[in-house]
Amino acid sequence: MMKHAWDNYRQYGWGHNELKPIARKGHSTNIFGNSQLGATIVDALDTLYIMGLHDEFREGQEWIDKNLDFSVNSEVSVFEVNIRFIGGLLAAYYLSGQEVFKIKAVQLAGKLLPAFNTPTGIPWAMVNLKSGVGRNWGWASAGSSILAEFGTLHMEFVHLSYLTGDPVYYNKVMHIRKLLQKMDRPNGLYPNYLNPRTGRWGQHHTSVGGLGDSFYEYLLKAWLMSDKMDTEARKMYDDAIEAIEKHLIRKSNGGLTFIGEWKNGHLERKMGHLTCFAGGMFALGADGSRDDKAGHYLQLGAEIAHTCHESYDRTTLKLGPEAFKFDGGVEAVAVRQNEKYYILRPEVIETYWYMWRFTHDPKYRQWGWEAAQAIDKYCRVSGGFSGVKDVYSSSPTYDDVQQSFFLAETLKYLYLLFSNDDLLPLDNWVFNTEAHPLPVLH
Ligand code: DMJ
């Protein structure tokens, strides 16, 4: 599957950010700006390396060496470029030892730094790589920055300071943490929106899915990546998770544990595909949890994995919808037409993999295999892999996008699920939110 995805991108989309596997041409979205930055190459490198696809890896390295140029007049998402490009380049560097990846990661990080020039030091969502001018998404509550965006820089920036000896990156992310620590949190929850000019929260929405997700993930992973020395991060994670469990996690009438979304004091009984990563996060954070609640968190991870598997199993294609409800007799099923799509996302398989590593219960391999077969059956087209618009339809239509995270995450987690535990052991490696492994800094 990786060969099929890569070879088609190589043939039809080379150098573009992503591939349109049906039109057989390059694809890009506004998160990458208007330049051809080869997002799929950078995102896929470590997967190629891990799978032993060394010729493909070398081709990618050569393209990066000769063509990847960040001095372009292009406005990109700071978060996306950090998790996919900086994370991807750093992982490729650590795995292969090739200096070019480190050099490019540091060059790119320098281009992101102007995004932090705000009255509070909370970065803008977007920055122009050439001019350094930053701004926020027009749709985000009252000019706010997004929790999952400014809160998902820590792992990569700590590594950048470690590799360069320059504290500037570390200082930027620690400043964000200190600021967050000082703020009041409604019901102990972190709202998704924070205004970088005023330092005030925007709308009181809290989510473990889109807009919130990887902020919580990075608190836990900052602690793991520091060889468990960063106890401040662990405490913030424990506090946040306790509040989430109290206010957002519920059991449906049918006995499925789900994580809802908190909107101005009201719990929306809806869970996103993105939220399904949390099963793996709870399992990963079980060891070291407060009050010896390791068993509890491993169980919670297992329950989320089960719920997310049900969201797949209750569809025609056996692929999960973007969001599913637990309301009025509906259980783990999408209701609105615009929530029925599957865009090759990794989160459910990611959780299967973590649960497999921690329990070795064969059902996780079984579930991963079901998902792999469904992707191969319904998302494979002759020009690559495509997302599908309706997982409940027996004749689905395609969205014609091969997302870069399909190669970075979905296929990597599947491969790891069927590999031995000594391939990237979790005692030595921590995966960033785009599945790029970074070493623990002992
Ligand atoms: C990826 O880019 C990352 O996993 C991110 O944290 C969330 N969204 C996508 C995949 O669904």
Side-chain angles (χ1 to χ4, degrees):
M1 290 167 81
M2 183 68 182
K3 273 286 281 172
H4 185 67
W6 175 265
D7 287 348
N8 279 289
Y9 167 76
R10 172 84 187 81
Q11 190 169 355
Y12 302 114
W14 195 238
H16 289 266
N17 289 315
E18 295 177 316
L19 168 71
K20 286 175 87 62
I22 294 168
R24 300 187 182 209
K25 59 179 191 182
H27 169 79
S28 199
T29 58
N30 60 346
I31 59 173
F32 303 120
N34 53 17
S35 296
Q36 292 188 24
L37 296 172
T40 296
I41 302 176
V42 183
D43 233 3
L45 276 174
D46 53 7
T47 308
L48 294 171
Y49 191 90
I50 292 162
M51 292 182 177
L53 294 168
H54 295 303
D55 291 343
E56 289 79 358
F57 180 86
R58 261 190 302 276
E59 274 181 328
Q61 177 174 344
E62 212 174 287
W63 185 89
I64 286 169
D65 197 12
K66 296 209 175 94
N67 302 291
L68 187 53
D69 175 15
F70 303 115
S71 328
V72 285
N73 182 12
S74 195
E75 192 181 52
V76 300
S77 155
V78 174
F79 158 77
E80 298 286 358
V81 164
N82 177 60
I83 66 168
R84 302 191 201 210
F85 285 79
I86 296 191
L89 290 165
L90 290 177
Y93 168 69
Y94 281 117
L95 289 169
S96 71
Q98 298 294 313
E99 286 287 317
V100 58
F101 300 126
K102 180 168 90 179
I103 294 167
K104 294 283 178 181
V106 175
Q107 275 173 5
L108 176 54
K111 301 277 181 191
L112 297 187
L113 286 179
F116 292 80
N117 296 335
T118 64
T120 56
I122 295 290
W124 300 116
M126 282 172 282
V127 71
N128 183 302
L129 292 175
K130 192 167 208 146
S131 67
V133 173
R135 71 183 173 102
N136 274 346
W137 306 111
W139 49 263
S141 168
S144 290
S145 299
I146 310 285
L147 184 68
E149 298 198 328
F150 64 77
T152 309
L153 303 167
H154 194 97
M155 293 179 66
E156 297 79 4
F157 276 49
V158 169
H159 270 279
L160 286 164
S161 280
Y162 168 76
L163 287 173
T164 60
D166 184 344
V168 64
Y169 311 102
Y170 176 82
N171 291 340
K172 296 284 183 211
V173 288
M174 285 309 281
H175 176 80
I176 297 175
R177 182 190 290 179
K178 294 289 168 206
L179 198 137
L180 286 175
Q181 272 185 323
K182 275 192 269 169
M183 295 186 65
D184 278 340
R185 282 175 286 134
N187 293 308
L189 297 168
Y190 287 91
N192 291 335
Y193 301 104
L194 180 59
N195 189 309
R197 293 183 202 273
T198 63
R200 295 216 185 91
W201 299 120
Q203 279 171 309
H204 285 187
H205 290 186
T206 296
S207 167
V208 185
L211 309 183
D213 46 11
S214 42
F215 162 68
Y216 306 101
E217 177 185 352
Y218 271 35
L219 291 176
L220 174 65
K221 291 181 175 177
W223 174 71
L224 289 168
M225 208 181 80
S226 70
D227 204 11
K228 306 188 178 173
M229 301 301 280
D230 185 354
T231 49
E232 183 179 79
R234 176 76 215 205
K235 183 180 178 316
M236 288 174 77
Y237 171 78
D238 287 334
D239 289 345
I241 292 309
E242 265 176 35
I244 284 166
E245 216 180 332
K246 186 161 171 208
H247 297 290
L248 270 65
I249 301 188
R250 296 286 181 270
K251 241 190 185 92
S252 70
N253 294 338
L256 296 177
T257 303
F258 67 94
I259 312 178
E261 309 242 327
W262 186 257
K263 297 198 168 157
N264 301 320
H266 168 79
L267 183 71
E268 198 181 353
R269 296 170 67 89
K270 184 167 94 174
M271 183 164 171
H273 192 288
L274 289 165
T275 320
C276 288
F277 92 97
M281 178 177 72
F282 292 141
L284 184 65
D287 191 22
S289 58
R290 262 181 208 155
D291 310 324
D292 201 19
K293 284 173 80 180
H296 168 75
Y297 285 113
L298 199 58
Q299 172 63 20
L300 189 55
E303 288 175 20
I304 299 298
H306 172 63
T307 299
C308 292
H309 176 255
E310 287 300 308
S311 80
Y312 274 51
D313 208 42
R314 295 176 187 197
T315 71
T316 309
L317 303 188
K318 305 293 172 196
L319 291 169
E322 180 67 4
F324 40 97
K325 294 211 116 179
F326 298 87
D327 236 351
V330 171
E331 297 255 333
V333 171
V335 175
R336 290 163 57 167
Q337 192 56 37
N338 64 1
E339 293 173 343
K340 295 183 177 173
Y341 61 88
Y342 172 68
I343 55 166
L344 305 170
R345 286 198 193 280
E347 292 77 17
V348 175
I349 294 166
E350 173 181 350
T351 277
Y352 295 161
W353 174 60
Y354 280 107
M355 291 308 302
W356 164 256
R357 278 274 171 113
F358 291 114
T359 66
H360 287 150
D361 184 331
K363 79 177 172 209
Y364 296 114
R365 279 190 165 170
Q366 179 57 38
W367 291 353
W369 185 236
E370 286 167 13
Q373 284 182 303
I375 293 170
D376 209 46
K377 187 161 175 195
Y378 298 112
C379 301
R380 182 194 275 261
V381 293
S382 61
F385 286 90
S386 167
V388 289
K389 289 187 183 160
D390 185 349
V391 290
Y392 301 95
S393 159
S394 51
S395 50
T397 47
Y398 299 112
D399 69 0
D400 199 12
V401 181
Q402 179 175 283
Q403 306 276 349
S404 78
F405 54 66
F406 180 62
L407 294 88
E409 299 194 70
T410 313
L411 295 177
K412 187 187 285 134
Y413 286 131
L414 271 174
Y415 187 79
L416 289 171
L417 178 60
F418 293 96
S419 301
N420 292 334
D421 294 358
D422 58 2
L423 180 60
L424 299 170
L426 289 170
D427 285 343
N428 298 337
W429 296 89
V430 187
F431 287 71
N432 90 339
T433 193
E434 187 78 1
H436 296 307
L438 300 175
V440 170
L441 298 174
H442 290 287

